[in-house]
Amino acid sequence: MTEHYLGVLGIAEALGVTRHAVHKWRSRYPGDSDRPFPEPDVEIDGAPGWRPDRVQEIIRWRDGLPGRGAGGGRPSAARQDYLKAALAQGLDRDEALRALAAFIAEFPEMTEPEVCAWLMERWRR
């Protein structure tokens, strides 16, 4: 009987995020970190795989992560500028922060200030 596993894309679809978000979590929370991403059940040619029955475990792991800005403090200058520009575009703070989080997850190779600058540039056009 063939066993079925979920790869990074399958986990991403099950959690409603991009595959980039799953890759980012795996690199940001390795096995030796304080809150490691759940280890895969199998690896084939370097590609990880998780049993489908572990999706709830991974959801619980994600839900236990600290939220953005955990620890308080003032938003970065880039985020403040972004929020001002988003308000001018008609977005409220929550909408703007959700959009920013989505773009950061979609483009993990970019820093938050780079994403903020990119979005503000697009709004200027």
Side-chain angles (χ1 to χ4, degrees), residues 24-106:
K24 186 189 253 186
W25 289 333
R26 291 193 72 221
S27 65
R28 203 176 267 177
Y29 301 99
D32 60 351
S33 70
D34 290 342
R35 186 156 178 75
F37 189 84
E39 286 293 321
D41 297 301
V42 66
E43 193 170 298
I44 300 172
D45 292 335
W50 293 264
R51 291 186 326 269
D53 64 346
R54 293 193 59 211
V55 168
Q56 288 304 313
E57 172 191 349
I58 296 169
I59 290 171
R60 284 190 303 276
W61 174 87
R62 180 199 55 191
D63 290 347
L65 289 175
R68 283 201 177 276
R74 190 170 132 181
S76 67
R79 184 179 283 207
Q80 289 178 21
D81 292 343
Y82 164 77
L83 290 172
K84 288 177 192 171
L87 181 63
Q89 292 295 316
L91 297 172
D92 67 32
R93 182 180 173 82
D94 288 340
E95 292 170 326
L97 290 175
R98 280 194 304 273
L100 181 58
F103 279 102
I104 289 170
E106 187 66 29

